Amino acid sequence: MSEKNREGKRSARDQMREQRAAQEARDARKKKLIVLGAVLAVLAVAVGIGVAVQSNRSSSDTPSAAPAGAIGNKNLVIPDGPANAPSTLTVYEDPRCPACGQFEREFAPTIDQLQDQGKLYGNYHIVSFIDRHDGGKGSKNGANALACAQDAGYFRAYHDVLYRNQPQETVDPWKDKSQLITLAKQVPGLDTPAFEQCVNSNKFGSWVSAVEQDFDKSGYTSTPTVLLNGKPIYPKNGTEDITPDNLVKWVNEANAGKTLGTTGSASASPAPTSTAAETDPNQPAASPAG
């Protein structure tokens, strides 16, 4: 083979190697770009999800509307009785909670009497965690209906009716809002088109969610949770079991030498009243037994 032919073959092989190297370099760059694009896409999706989660968290933490007269941080507490009473009873309860129903049926007359005497100011946190555990909608629907009753100025009366007629926890008939409206007929003046619209439209749904989130953060894990002047008293106050007579005794002992409240400052009068938002003085720090 002539020298000229050998040089020609080497030149062709060199060109082929150069072309192959160039193609491999292009393929490597293309692969890097594809990987980079995939990473950026994943990051974009993650950021989008994070924003959505944060948005949902923010919206559910702050209610879009609260019932008239609600107090405390973000207006999550329903007051009952004279605000200037010397003692405060804080109650966390779920409309579907059987123990709450038992507590209310036994203690509501005594609590109402103490409030009417100017001795006690009620602060109610209406939570709704049983829907989450047992399924259904009765807790949330009941909580919203109670907020609607507060908005109309009939919280106490409707609250007492609801617990006197509380169904079994596992049945959940209050998933049907019409049953909550029917119970309102037992409260003269409450069953109005405005109340029915409030219940049916779930007007205070975001408020109900915010109250539940507040309960989740409170450190308490069960209902009812009951505190007198910030101290847990259910099912015991120290070594003493809670009874209606003991509750009266504990309130009287706490109020000794103090001026009683006046019913004119009550937040649960038949006509709804507006109360300036104030921090709940009984926000719990630890969970009691029970």
Coordinates of all heavy atoms in Angstrom, one line a residue, residues 45-107:
V45 N -42.6 22.0 41.4 CA -43.8 21.4 41.9 C -43.8 21.4 43.4 O -44.8 21.7 44.1 CB -43.9 19.9 41.4 CG1 -45.0 19.1 42.2 CG2 -44.1 19.8 39.9
A46 N -42.6 21.2 44.0 CA -42.5 21.2 45.5 C -42.8 22.6 46.0 O -43.5 22.7 47.0 CB -41.0 20.8 45.9
V47 N -42.2 23.6 45.4 CA -42.5 25.0 45.8 C -44.0 25.3 45.7 O -44.6 25.8 46.6 CB -41.7 26.0 45.0 CG1 -42.2 27.4 45.3 CG2 -40.2 25.8 45.3
G48 N -44.6 24.8 44.6 CA -46.1 25.0 44.4 C -46.9 24.3 45.5 O -47.8 24.9 46.1
I49 N -46.5 23.1 45.9 CA -47.2 22.4 46.9 C -47.0 23.1 48.3 O -47.9 23.3 49.0 CB -46.7 20.9 47.0 CG1 -47.1 20.2 45.8 CG2 -47.2 20.3 48.3 CD1 -46.6 18.8 45.7
G50 N -45.8 23.5 48.5 CA -45.5 24.2 49.8 C -46.3 25.5 49.9 O -46.9 25.8 51.0
V51 N -46.4 26.3 48.8 CA -47.3 27.5 48.8 C -48.7 27.1 49.1 O -49.4 27.8 49.8 CB -47.1 28.3 47.5 CG1 -48.1 29.4 47.4 CG2 -45.7 28.8 47.4
A52 N -49.2 26.1 48.4 CA -50.6 25.7 48.6 C -50.9 25.3 50.0 O -51.9 25.6 50.6 CB -50.9 24.6 47.6
V53 N -50.0 24.4 50.6 CA -50.1 24.0 51.9 C -50.1 25.2 52.9 O -51.0 25.3 53.8 CB -49.0 23.0 52.3 CG1 -49.0 22.7 53.8 CG2 -49.2 21.7 51.5
Q54 N -49.2 26.1 52.7 CA -49.1 27.2 53.6 C -50.3 28.1 53.4 O -50.9 28.6 54.4 CB -47.8 28.1 53.2 CG -47.6 29.3 54.2 CD -47.4 28.8 55.6 OE1 -46.8 27.8 55.9 NE2 -48.0 29.5 56.5
S55 N -50.8 28.2 52.2 CA -52.0 29.0 52.0 C -53.2 28.4 52.7 O -54.0 29.1 53.4 CB -52.3 29.1 50.5 OG -53.5 29.8 50.3
N56 N -53.4 27.0 52.6 CA -54.5 26.4 53.3 C -54.3 26.5 54.8 O -55.3 26.7 55.5 CB -54.5 24.9 52.9 CG -54.9 24.7 51.5 OD1 -55.6 25.5 50.9 ND2 -54.5 23.5 50.9
R57 N -53.1 26.4 55.3 CA -52.9 26.5 56.7 C -53.3 27.9 57.2 O -53.9 28.0 58.2 CB -51.4 26.2 57.0 CG -51.1 26.2 58.5 CD -49.6 25.8 58.7 NE -49.3 24.5 58.3 CZ -48.3 24.2 57.5 NH1 -47.4 25.1 57.2 NH2 -48.0 22.9 57.2
S58 N -52.9 28.9 56.5 CA -53.2 30.3 56.9 C -54.7 30.5 56.9 O -55.2 31.1 57.8 CB -52.5 31.3 56.0 OG -51.1 31.1 56.1
S59 N -55.3 30.0 55.8 CA -56.8 30.3 55.7 C -57.6 29.6 56.7 O -58.5 30.1 57.2 CB -57.3 29.9 54.3 OG -57.1 28.5 54.1
S60 N -57.1 28.4 57.1 CA -57.9 27.6 58.1 C -57.6 28.1 59.5 O -58.4 27.9 60.4 CB -57.6 26.1 58.0 OG -56.2 25.9 58.2
D61 N -56.4 28.7 59.8 CA -56.1 29.3 61.1 C -56.9 30.5 61.4 O -57.1 30.8 62.6 CB -54.6 29.6 61.1 CG -53.7 28.4 61.4 OD1 -54.2 27.4 61.9 OD2 -52.5 28.5 61.1
T62 N -57.3 31.3 60.4 CA -58.0 32.5 60.7 C -59.3 32.4 60.0 O -59.5 32.3 58.8 CB -57.2 33.7 60.0 OG1 -55.9 33.7 60.6 CG2 -57.9 35.0 60.3
P63 N -60.4 32.5 60.9 CA -61.8 32.4 60.3 C -62.1 33.6 59.5 O -61.7 34.7 59.8 CB -62.6 32.3 61.6 CG -61.8 32.9 62.6 CD -60.4 32.7 62.3
S64 N -62.9 33.3 58.4 CA -63.4 34.4 57.6 C -64.5 35.2 58.3 O -64.7 36.4 57.9 CB -63.8 33.9 56.2 OG -64.9 33.0 56.4
A65 N -65.2 34.6 59.2 CA -66.3 35.2 59.9 C -66.4 34.6 61.3 O -66.2 33.4 61.4 CB -67.6 35.1 59.2
A66 N -66.8 35.3 62.3 CA -67.0 34.8 63.6 C -68.4 35.3 64.1 O -68.8 36.3 63.7 CB -65.9 35.3 64.6
P67 N -69.0 34.5 65.0 CA -70.3 34.9 65.5 C -70.2 36.2 66.3 O -69.2 36.4 67.0 CB -70.8 33.7 66.3 CG -69.5 33.0 66.6 CD -68.6 33.2 65.5
A68 N -71.3 36.9 66.3 CA -71.4 38.2 67.1 C -71.1 37.9 68.5 O -71.6 36.9 69.1 CB -72.7 38.8 66.9
G69 N -70.3 38.8 69.1 CA -70.0 38.7 70.5 C -68.9 37.7 70.9 O -68.5 37.6 72.1
A70 N -68.3 37.0 69.9 CA -67.2 36.0 70.2 C -66.0 36.8 70.7 O -65.8 37.9 70.3 CB -66.9 35.2 69.0
I71 N -65.3 36.2 71.6 CA -64.1 36.9 72.2 C -62.9 36.1 72.1 O -62.9 35.0 71.5 CB -64.4 37.2 73.7 CG1 -64.5 35.8 74.5 CG2 -65.6 38.0 73.9 CD1 -64.6 36.0 76.0
G72 N -61.8 36.6 72.6 CA -60.5 35.9 72.7 C -59.7 36.0 71.4 O -60.1 36.8 70.5
N73 N -58.6 35.4 71.3 CA -57.7 35.5 70.2 C -58.4 35.0 68.9 O -58.9 33.8 68.9 CB -56.4 34.6 70.4 CG -55.4 34.7 69.3 OD1 -55.4 35.7 68.6 ND2 -54.6 33.7 69.1
K74 N -58.5 35.8 67.9 CA -59.2 35.5 66.7 C -60.7 35.2 66.9 O -61.4 34.6 66.1 CB -58.6 34.3 66.0 CG -57.2 34.5 65.6 CD -56.6 33.3 64.8 CE -55.1 33.5 64.5 NZ -54.5 32.4 63.8
N75 N -61.3 35.7 68.0 CA -62.7 35.6 68.3 C -63.2 34.1 68.3 O -64.2 33.8 67.7 CB -63.5 36.4 67.4 CG -63.2 37.9 67.6 OD1 -62.9 38.4 68.7 ND2 -63.3 38.7 66.5
L76 N -62.5 33.2 68.9 CA -62.8 31.8 68.9 C -63.6 31.3 70.1 O -64.0 30.1 70.1 CB -61.5 31.0 68.8 CG -60.6 31.3 67.6 CD1 -59.3 30.4 67.6 CD2 -61.3 31.1 66.2
V77 N -63.9 32.2 71.0 CA -64.5 31.8 72.3 C -65.9 32.4 72.3 O -66.1 33.6 72.1 CB -63.7 32.2 73.5 CG1 -64.4 31.8 74.8 CG2 -62.3 31.7 73.4
I78 N -66.9 31.6 72.7 CA -68.3 32.1 72.9 C -68.5 32.3 74.4 O -68.4 31.4 75.2 CB -69.3 31.1 72.4 CG1 -69.2 31.0 70.8 CG2 -70.7 31.5 72.8 CD1 -70.2 30.0 70.2
P79 N -68.8 33.6 74.7 CA -69.0 33.9 76.1 C -70.5 33.7 76.5 O -71.4 33.8 75.7 CB -68.6 35.4 76.2 CG -69.0 35.9 74.8 CD -68.8 34.8 73.9
D80 N -70.7 33.4 77.8 CA -72.0 33.3 78.4 C -72.0 33.8 79.8 O -71.2 33.4 80.6 CB -72.5 31.9 78.3 CG -74.0 31.8 78.6 OD1 -74.7 32.7 78.4 OD2 -74.4 30.7 79.1
G81 N -72.9 34.7 80.1 CA -73.0 35.2 81.5 C -72.3 36.6 81.5 O -71.8 37.1 80.6
P82 N -72.3 37.2 82.7 CA -71.7 38.5 82.9 C -70.2 38.5 82.8 O -69.5 37.8 83.5 CB -72.2 38.9 84.3 CG -72.4 37.7 85.0 CD -72.9 36.7 84.0
A83 N -69.7 39.4 81.9 CA -68.3 39.4 81.7 C -67.5 39.9 82.9 O -66.3 39.7 83.0 CB -68.0 40.3 80.5
N84 N -68.2 40.7 83.8 CA -67.5 41.2 85.0 C -67.7 40.3 86.2 O -67.4 40.7 87.3 CB -67.9 42.6 85.3 CG -69.4 42.7 85.5 OD1 -70.2 41.8 85.3 ND2 -69.9 43.9 86.0
A85 N -68.2 39.1 86.0 CA -68.2 38.1 87.1 C -66.8 37.8 87.7 O -65.9 37.8 86.9 CB -68.9 36.8 86.7
P86 N -66.7 37.6 89.0 CA -65.4 37.4 89.5 C -64.7 36.0 89.2 O -63.5 35.9 89.3 CB -65.6 37.4 91.1 CG -67.1 37.1 91.2 CD -67.8 37.6 90.0
S87 N -65.5 35.1 88.7 CA -64.9 33.8 88.3 C -65.2 33.4 86.9 O -66.3 33.8 86.4 CB -65.4 32.6 89.2 OG -64.7 32.7 90.5
T88 N -64.3 32.7 86.2 CA -64.5 32.3 84.8 C -64.5 30.8 84.7 O -63.6 30.1 85.2 CB -63.5 32.9 83.9 OG1 -63.6 34.3 84.0 CG2 -63.7 32.5 82.5
L89 N -65.5 30.2 84.1 CA -65.5 28.8 83.8 C -65.2 28.6 82.3 O -66.0 29.1 81.4 CB -66.9 28.2 84.1 CG -67.0 26.7 84.0 CD1 -66.3 26.1 85.3 CD2 -68.5 26.2 83.9
T90 N -64.1 27.9 82.0 CA -63.7 27.6 80.6 C -64.1 26.2 80.3 O -63.7 25.3 81.0 CB -62.2 27.9 80.4 OG1 -61.9 29.2 80.8 CG2 -61.8 27.6 79.0
V91 N -64.8 26.0 79.2 CA -65.3 24.7 78.8 C -64.9 24.4 77.4 O -65.2 25.2 76.5 CB -66.8 24.6 79.0 CG1 -67.3 23.2 78.6 CG2 -67.3 24.9 80.4
Y92 N -64.2 23.3 77.2 CA -64.0 22.8 75.8 C -64.9 21.5 75.6 O -64.8 20.6 76.4 CB -62.5 22.3 75.7 CG -61.5 23.4 75.7 CD1 -61.1 24.0 76.9 CD2 -60.9 23.8 74.5 CE1 -60.1 25.0 76.9 CE2 -59.9 24.8 74.5 CZ -59.6 25.4 75.7 OH -58.6 26.4 75.7
E93 N -65.7 21.6 74.6 CA -66.6 20.5 74.4 C -67.0 20.3 72.9 O -66.9 21.3 72.1 CB -67.9 20.6 75.2 CG -68.7 21.9 75.0 CD -69.8 22.1 76.0 OE1 -69.9 21.3 77.0 OE2 -70.6 23.0 75.8
D94 N -67.3 19.1 72.6 CA -67.7 18.7 71.2 C -69.2 18.3 71.2 O -69.6 17.6 72.1 CB -66.8 17.5 70.8 CG -67.0 17.1 69.3 OD1 -68.1 16.9 68.9 OD2 -66.0 16.9 68.6
P95 N -69.9 18.8 70.2 CA -71.4 18.5 70.2 C -71.7 17.0 70.2 O -72.8 16.6 70.7 CB -71.9 19.2 68.9 CG -70.9 20.3 68.7 CD -69.6 19.8 69.1
R96 N -70.8 16.2 69.6 CA -71.1 14.7 69.6 C -70.5 14.0 70.7 O -70.7 12.8 70.8 CB -70.5 14.2 68.3 CG -71.2 14.5 67.0 CD -70.5 13.9 65.8 NE -70.6 12.5 65.7 CZ -70.0 11.7 64.8 NH1 -69.2 12.3 63.9 NH2 -70.2 10.4 64.8
C97 N -69.8 14.7 71.6 CA -69.1 14.0 72.7 C -70.1 13.5 73.8 O -70.8 14.3 74.4 CB -68.1 15.0 73.3 SG -67.5 14.5 75.0
P98 N -70.2 12.2 74.0 CA -71.1 11.7 75.1 C -70.8 12.2 76.5 O -71.7 12.5 77.2 CB -70.9 10.2 75.0 CG -70.3 9.9 73.6 CD -69.5 11.1 73.3
A99 N -69.5 12.3 76.8 CA -69.2 12.8 78.1 C -69.6 14.2 78.3 O -70.0 14.7 79.4 CB -67.7 12.6 78.4
C100 N -69.5 15.0 77.2 CA -69.9 16.4 77.2 C -71.4 16.5 77.5 O -71.9 17.3 78.2 CB -69.5 17.1 75.9 SG -67.8 17.2 75.6
G101 N -72.2 15.6 76.8 CA -73.6 15.6 77.0 C -74.0 15.3 78.4 O -74.9 15.9 79.0
Q102 N -73.3 14.3 79.0 CA -73.5 13.9 80.4 C -73.2 15.1 81.3 O -74.0 15.4 82.2 CB -72.7 12.7 80.7 CG -72.9 12.2 82.2 CD -72.1 11.0 82.5 OE1 -71.4 10.4 81.6 NE2 -72.1 10.5 83.7
F103 N -72.1 15.7 81.0 CA -71.7 16.9 81.9 C -72.7 18.0 81.8 O -73.1 18.5 82.8 CB -70.3 17.4 81.4 CG -69.9 18.7 82.0 CD1 -69.4 18.8 83.3 CD2 -70.1 19.9 81.3 CE1 -69.0 20.0 83.9 CE2 -69.7 21.1 81.9 CZ -69.2 21.2 83.2
E104 N -73.1 18.3 80.6 CA -74.1 19.4 80.4 C -75.4 19.1 81.0 O -76.1 20.0 81.6 CB -74.2 19.8 78.9 CG -73.0 20.5 78.3 CD -72.8 21.8 78.9 OE1 -73.7 22.4 79.6 OE2 -71.7 22.4 78.8
R105 N -75.9 17.9 80.8 CA -77.2 17.5 81.4 C -77.2 17.6 82.9 O -78.2 17.9 83.6 CB -77.6 16.1 80.9 CG -78.1 16.1 79.5 CD -78.7 14.8 79.0 NE -77.7 13.7 79.0 CZ -76.9 13.4 78.0 NH1 -77.0 14.2 76.9 NH2 -76.0 12.4 78.0
E106 N -76.0 17.3 83.5 CA -75.9 17.3 85.0 C -75.6 18.7 85.5 O -76.2 19.1 86.6 CB -74.8 16.3 85.4 CG -74.7 16.2 87.0 CD -73.7 15.2 87.4 OE1 -73.1 14.6 86.5 OE2 -73.5 15.0 88.6
F107 N -74.8 19.5 84.8 CA -74.3 20.7 85.4 C -74.9 22.0 84.8 O -74.8 23.1 85.3 CB -72.8 20.8 85.2 CG -72.1 19.8 86.1 CD1 -71.8 18.6 85.7 CD2 -71.7 20.2 87.4 CE1 -71.1 17.7 86.6 CE2 -71.1 19.4 88.3 CZ -70.8 18.1 87.9

